[in-house]
């Protein structure tokens, strides 16, 4: 049995869930799951159909990008995942999709505004859209520089990636993350749901306001705060 069996199984299951959520078309999506203590992560192989995936298909790499296990090529987005693991302490899984409504916001270069309590249950404010990538960044190492642009977006805007666990990469699409493969996929699904809600609200009323700060605080903190009481222990 593989030394990395646990993360390979978790990663495989999370990837299998992606098409079931409706978040991906064709093979436009991938999930990675890390073991931060060992500084390794498993990720979906590039271009393999979700119906065919098994844990043995998962590719395991270290945080320096060296393949430790797996016969297939890892996802082309692997450097982006690796960059996020290196820079966002506390995350164990990254999900990338081309989910349609979130991509629409990314292509429009617009943050997803926090307009209601559904959004506030998952994200402590607007989900940011990154800036355009430069021609130099794209030429230098596109997928790694994508991760760098995400990290810079959060640093420059003073956003805590554990409080807003998602981003829209300009002209590309969403990345989301979390403490497990299952939770990261759930967050990616929540992102698409709130993107659709925001889009429809803005269509109905282009001047629709953001949620009041006190209501945002209440909904986010009752689920994620130090004295959270939502759900079961």
């Amino acid at each position: 049995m593989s030394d990395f069996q646990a993360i390979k199984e978790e990663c495989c299951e999370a990837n299998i869930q992606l098409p079931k959520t409706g978040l991906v078309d064709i093979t436009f999506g991938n999930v990675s799951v890390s073991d931060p203590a060992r500084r390794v992560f498993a990720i979906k192989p590039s271009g393999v159909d979700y119906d065919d995936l098994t844990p043995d298909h998962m590719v395991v790499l270290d945080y320096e990008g060296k393949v430790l296990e797996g016969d297939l090529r890892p996802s082309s987005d692997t450097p982006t995942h690796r960059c996020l693991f290196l820079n966002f302490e506390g995350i164990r899984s990254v999900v990338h999709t081309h989910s349609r409504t979130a991509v629409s916001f990314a292509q429009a270069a617009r943050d997803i505004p926090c307009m209601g309590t559904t959004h506030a249950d998952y994200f402590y404010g607007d989900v940011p859209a990154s800036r355009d990538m430069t021609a130099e960044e794209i030429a230098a190492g596109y997928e790694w520089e994508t991760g760098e642009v995400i990290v810079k977006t959060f640093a420059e805007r003073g956003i805590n990636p554990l409080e807003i666990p998602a981003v829209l990469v300009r002209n590309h699409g969403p990345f989301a993350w979390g403490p497990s493969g299952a939770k990261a996929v759930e967050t990616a699904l929540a992102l698409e749901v709130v993107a659709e809600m925001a889009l429809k609200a803005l269509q109905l009323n282009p001047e629709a306001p953001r949620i009041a700060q006190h209501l945002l605080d209440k909904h986010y903190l009752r689920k994620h705060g130090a004295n959270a009481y939502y759900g079961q222990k």
Side-chain angles (χ1 to χ4, degrees):
M1 181 173 289
S2 167
D3 289 340
F4 309 108
Q5 194 66 24
I7 60 170
K8 289 171 66 175
E9 290 180 359
E10 184 179 352
C11 184
C12 182
E13 180 57 29
N15 276 286
I16 288 171
Q17 291 306 312
L18 274 185
K20 296 179 181 179
T21 65
L23 290 173
V24 300
D25 298 299
I26 314 176
T27 59
F28 299 155
N30 45 72
V31 184
S32 62
V33 174
S34 76
D35 181 341
R38 300 173 71 184
R39 295 178 63 80
V40 300
F41 65 99
I43 194 165
K44 179 185 179 289
S46 179
V48 176
D49 191 271
Y50 297 95
D51 290 339
D52 298 330
L53 289 177
T54 70
D56 287 340
H57 288 127
M58 302 301 106
V59 184
V60 179
L61 304 95
D62 63 22
Y63 278 17
E64 285 67 54
K66 178 183 177 182
V67 174
L68 303 178
E69 191 170 289
D71 299 323
L72 300 174
R73 285 186 299 175
S75 166
S76 57
D77 295 305
T78 295
T80 310
H81 291 243
R82 184 168 72 88
C83 186
L84 297 182
F85 287 134
L86 285 168
N87 287 279
F88 288 169
E89 186 175 354
I91 71 172
R92 278 194 62 247
S93 179
V94 176
V95 177
H96 173 51
T97 76
H98 289 206
S99 62
R100 298 179 185 189
T101 313
V103 166
S104 297
F105 274 87
Q107 293 179 168
R110 288 199 59 176
D111 295 357
I112 300 175
C114 186
M115 303 178 77
T117 61
T118 310
H119 186 126
D121 279 341
Y122 283 88
F123 308 103
Y124 200 21
D126 296 359
V127 175
S130 76
R131 62 165 171 79
D132 285 311
M133 294 181 68
T134 66
E136 292 75 17
E137 287 169 336
I138 292 170
Y142 173 58
E143 291 83 4
W144 174 262
E145 293 298 332
T146 298
E148 290 279 19
V149 167
I150 293 170
V151 171
K152 289 173 184 175
T153 297
F154 278 69
E156 291 168 359
R157 296 177 59 173
I159 300 171
N160 184 336
L162 299 184
E163 294 180 341
I164 302 181
V167 69
L168 307 174
V169 177
R170 175 80 169 98
N171 297 126
H172 188 172
F175 285 80
W177 46 85
S180 68
K183 188 63 180 178
V185 170
E186 180 184 329
T187 300
L189 177 57
L191 180 69
E192 178 65 11
V193 169
V194 300
E196 183 178 356
M197 290 176 173
L199 177 62
K200 290 179 177 178
L202 291 169
Q203 288 173 332
L204 289 167
N205 178 8
E207 304 302 321
R210 284 171 170 77
I211 191 173
Q213 185 66 45
H214 57 270
L215 186 55
L216 169 60
D217 290 344
K218 181 63 177 181
H219 267 262
Y220 182 83
L221 295 174
R222 73 173 186 166
K223 195 169 184 178
H224 305 281
N227 298 310
Y229 60 87
Y230 181 91
Q232 302 301 314
K233 295 289 187 181

